[in-house]
């Protein structure tokens, strides 16, 4: 990256993002990778890095973050071991720490089965449990080797402890005996690695032995008594053997490390890469960020609810900003401290972050097509050392940008043309923007010049934007409004701050008529925008209220349906019990009627038997219908009742409409004795209806056939049409099946099912069900005069 590019990264505060990223990494290697991160110009590579960040974030949500605190820089250690050097305990423990971290990372990867973009990196890890345990078992700490590092070392240390105990025992007897009066203190200590006792200098001759040291005052000499000289010699020999054995153990472990140098180096590289990736995911969590959509088309950006990542995420006002689509240049206007510069930096910084594989603090539907380079001229560029004014310093940067900008670049100018004569500065700003556009770059610039607002309004591919300002409160809202140029609020702000009206009026007189008219147009646009926003807010409020009411109604409906379901289930259970009892009664009656049939040899007995069976089947069918439809027992209203007389023909309403003859009028309790075929029964007077016989004379009936009584009974008790409108498909099909059974029993040639037109769903279900019935000969919709599409005519076999 050239010097201008690095300067732009600094201007856009990209390096502050890298510092925050490095703070999320655990290993030194990953921290270095974070600080060295630069935007990519390769979309595929940037897409891979973005996907890695996303996958790491998803894994952290499910499993937490793996630990990389044990990753150490062991390159030099491995190199020295490979050359035959012996590693010290600290270095060996660093190698073991790397192996342990690799093993735990492999276990972390094994917790999920799906493959991610991190799977190939986890696949590079090998670990080495054997070498790891060999090191950690042999080395307790940087200063201590474990007794169990080898059997020889264990044996040497046991002998050392035994002999050391013998020395202490010998010297203990000495300091507690009669010679204790010659000692400065009754203690045993060590000098030059040998056990000695402190003897008073004037009694040196009373304690035979070797003098190893003298106190600083000369009052005490440290004597190794002759009785323990040989024992101390044995200790020195054992300590030499111990040191040699430790050296051998370390050399052996170092050789084993050298043997696996390649695998360990690969583990370190993979762990550092994973630490770097998970650091990006942690930064995403910290910034409450999301992955944008990376577009194939370069040089286009659309940010939704974007925030500057270095601002407080709870206080920063999100903005929507886009460039490179319908327009390649955005001119941002508005008052000072209104958020123009922050908007500019947000656009540039988030583009750089996306090109670096980092999530951005914006809506996940944001889209970014990578820019080749991002150049920025933002902030105070005044240089005292180089004797440059603010304008000169800015122009020097602009010259460098003009030399470098090309197609696919993003160029950001803050207060373009400021710091010089307004007329010349505005003209220069228009020319600079025009040249950058000619070179194919996208441009975003902030300005106070009205000429640039006009330029944006009259030039194709250039769009105005403004930072909203509340004149009443004299506070910016920090909202970026694309498509609307910002109105100059200088006079309004001055008035609100107390500037005399006379001064303000004189200032207004100095403004040209064209500029004043332009400001008036902007003011009208601003009022219209606010009115539209208020309407949109009201629409959103009403939509939210409607949604809330809809949710309440749905909840009430669901509760009612649940209650109805419970009631239906309860009713069905009760109906099932009634139906079961009815079937048991029917079976008993059928058995009795079969007996009657066997006893009677007359044809009338067969006729009566058939009629009785039909009547009982009617009872059962009616019960089933009541169970499904939840209807109550049918009774005749009071105004329909006429006292019945013996011999009247009546229709039994609750026995399928079967015809019967009254044998005796109603008794005191309202019970009427009737006969249907061969079966006699007593029914309530309000459960039957008198059938009025026509008064015209009838022709004598032909001699009855054997099945005549049965057909007469069935024809009278069966209807030729059924109405299933308002039922569900399941209820309608059940009703149609029962209706067909009665119609077939009655011998009807054709019947009609009334289902209504509606959406056609019920008609389709009924007709499809009828066509699959073997007892149905044909099915057709009604024609004109029959009900058309609202009925289905069924011809029976």
């Amino acid at each position: 990256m050239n010097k201008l590019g690095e300067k732009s990264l600094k201007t856009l505060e990209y390096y502050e993002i890298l510092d925050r990223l490095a703070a999320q990494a655990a290993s030194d290697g990953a921290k270095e990778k974070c600080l060295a991160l630069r935007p990519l110009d390769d979309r595929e590579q940037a897409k891979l890095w973005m996907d890695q960040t996303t996958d790491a974030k998803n894994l952290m949500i499910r499993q937490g973050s793996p630990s990389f605190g044990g990753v150490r820089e062991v390159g030099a250690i491995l190199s020295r071991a490979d050359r035959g050097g012996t590693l010290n305990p600290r270095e060996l423990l660093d190698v073991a720490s790397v192996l342990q971290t690799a093993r735990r990372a492999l276990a972390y990867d094994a917790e999920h089965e799906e493959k991610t973009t991190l799977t190939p990196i986890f696949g590079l890890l090998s670990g080495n449990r054997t070498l790891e345990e060999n090191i950690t078992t042999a080395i307790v700490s940087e200063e201590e080797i474990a007794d169990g590092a080898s059997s020889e070392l264990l044996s040497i240390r046991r002998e050392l402890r035994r002999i050391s105990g013998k020395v202490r025992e010998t010297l203990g007897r000495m300091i507690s005996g009669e010679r204790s009066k010659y000692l400065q203190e009754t203690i045993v200590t060590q000098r030059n690695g040998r056990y000695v006792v402190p003897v008073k200098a004037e009694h040196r001759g009373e304690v035979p032995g070797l003098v190893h040291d003298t106190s600083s005052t000369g009052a005490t000499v440290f004597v190794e008594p002759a009785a323990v000289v040989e024992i101390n010699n044995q200790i020195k020999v054992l300590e030499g053997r111990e040191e040699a054995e430790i050296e051998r153990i370390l050399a052996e472990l170092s050789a084993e490390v050298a043997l696996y140098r390649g695998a360990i180096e690969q583990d370190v590289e993979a762990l550092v890469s994973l630490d770097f990736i998970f650091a990006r995911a942690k930064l995403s969590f910290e910034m409450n960020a999301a992955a944008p959509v990376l577009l194939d088309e370069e040089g286009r950006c659309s940010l939704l609810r974007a925030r500057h990542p270095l601002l407080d995420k709870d206080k920063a006002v999100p903005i929507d900003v886009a460039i490179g689509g319908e327009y390649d240049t955005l001119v941002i206007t508005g008052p000072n401290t209104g958020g123009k510069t922050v908007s500019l930096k947000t656009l540039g910084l988030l583009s750089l972050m996306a090109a670096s594989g980092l999530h951005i603090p914006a809506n996940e539907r944001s889209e970014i097509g990578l820019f080749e380079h991002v150049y920025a001229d933002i902030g105070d560029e005044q240089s005292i050392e180089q004797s440059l004014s603010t304008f000169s310093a800015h122009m020097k940067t602009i010259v460098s940008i003009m030399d470098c900008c090309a197609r696919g670049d993003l160029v950001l100018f803050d207060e373009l043309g400021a710091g010089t004569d307004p007329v010349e500065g505005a003209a220069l700003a228009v020319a600079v923007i025009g040249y950058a556009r000619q070179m194919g770059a996208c441009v975003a610039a902030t300005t106070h010049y009205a000429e640039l607002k006009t330029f944006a309004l009259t030039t194709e591919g250039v769009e105005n934007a403004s930072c909203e300002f509340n004149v009443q409160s004299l506070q910016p809202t920090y909202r970026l409004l694309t498509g609307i140029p910002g109105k100059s609020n200088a006079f309004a702000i001055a008035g609100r701050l107390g500037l005399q009206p006379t001064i303000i009026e004189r200032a207004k007189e100095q403004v040209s008529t064209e500029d004043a008219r332009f400001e008036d147009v902007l003011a009208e646009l601003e009022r219209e925008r606010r009115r539209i926003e208020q309407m949109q807010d009201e629409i959103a409020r009403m939509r939210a209220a409607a949604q809330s009411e809809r949710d309440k109604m749905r909840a009430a409906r669901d509760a009612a349906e649940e209650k109805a379901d419970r009631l239906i289930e309860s009713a069905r259970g009760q109906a099932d019990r009634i139906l079961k009892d009815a079937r048991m009664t029917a079976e008993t009656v059928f058995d009795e009627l079969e007996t009657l049939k066997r006893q009677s040899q007359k044809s009338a007995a067969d006729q009566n038997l058939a009629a009785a069976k039909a009547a009982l089947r009617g009872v059962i069918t009616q019960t089933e219908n009541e169970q499904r439809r939840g209807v109550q027992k049918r009774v005749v209203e009071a105004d329909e009742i006429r006292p019945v007389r013996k011999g009247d023909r009546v229709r039994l309403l609750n026995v399928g409409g079967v015809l019967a003859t009254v044998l005796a009028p109603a008794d005191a309790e309202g019970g009427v004795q009737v006969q249907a075929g061969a079966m006699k029964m007593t029914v309530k007077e309000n459960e039957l209806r008198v059938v009025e016989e026509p008064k015209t004379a009838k022709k004598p009936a032909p001699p009855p056939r054997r099945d005549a009584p049965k057909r007469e009974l069935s024809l009278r008790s069966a209807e030729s049409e059924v109405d299933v409108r308002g039922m569900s498909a399941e209820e309608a099909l059940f009703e149609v099946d029962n209706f067909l059974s009665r119609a077939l029993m009655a011998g009807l040639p054709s019947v009609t099912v009334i289902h209504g037109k509606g959406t056609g769903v019920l008609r389709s279900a009924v007709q499809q069900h009828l066509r699959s019935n073997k007892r149905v000969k044909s099915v057709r919709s009604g024609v004109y005069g029959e009900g058309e599409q609202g009925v289905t005519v069924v011809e029976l076999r």
Side-chain angles (χ1 to χ4, degrees), residues 422 464 488 540 594 600 605 634 682 684 756:
N464 268 305
S488 174
E594 289 294 337
S600 176
R634 295 179 58 191
T682 299
K684 295 293 185 182

Side-chain angles (χ1 to χ4, degrees), residues 239-267:
E239 287 176 345
R241 289 176 57 193
E242 179 188 30
E243 186 176 345
E245 180 61 16
I246 290 175
E247 187 68 19
R248 186 195 68 78
I249 292 170
L250 295 178
E252 186 178 278
L253 291 174
S254 301
E256 192 172 359
V257 167
L259 183 64
Y260 296 104
R261 175 185 178 180
I264 297 172
E265 287 178 335
Q266 182 170 290
D267 281 353

Side-chain angles (χ1 to χ4, degrees), residues 419-479:
T420 187
D421 178 76
V423 176
E424 294 181 353
L428 188 61
V430 171
V432 168
I433 292 175
Y435 180 81
R437 294 185 67 209
Q438 181 182 345
M439 300 305 295
C442 291
V443 180
T446 66
T447 183
H448 285 287
Y449 292 141
E451 290 84 353
L452 263 71
K453 302 176 188 178
T454 306
F455 171 70
L457 286 172
T458 58
T459 306
E460 184 179 358
V462 183
E463 185 63 89
N464 268 305
S466 60
C467 289
E468 188 180 48
F469 187 85
N470 189 326
V471 180
Q472 301 300 321
S473 64
L474 297 182
Q475 293 293 327
T477 66
Y478 302 107
R479 294 177 58 201

Side-chain angles (χ1 to χ4, degrees), residues 631-648:
V631 299
Q632 295 182 349
K633 195 173 184 181
R634 295 179 58 191
V635 297
V636 180
E637 297 297 333
D639 59 357
E640 298 180 6
I641 298 176
R642 168 178 76 74
V644 295
R645 297 183 293 271
K646 181 178 180 180
D648 281 346

Side-chain angles (χ1 to χ4, degrees), residues 43 292-298 300-302 366-370:
R43 181 193 176 280
V293 177
L294 294 185
L295 302 174
D296 293 331
E297 176 186 359
E298 68 176 13
R300 184 160 74 85
C301 178
S302 175
S366 299
E367 299 176 336
I368 296 180
L370 301 185

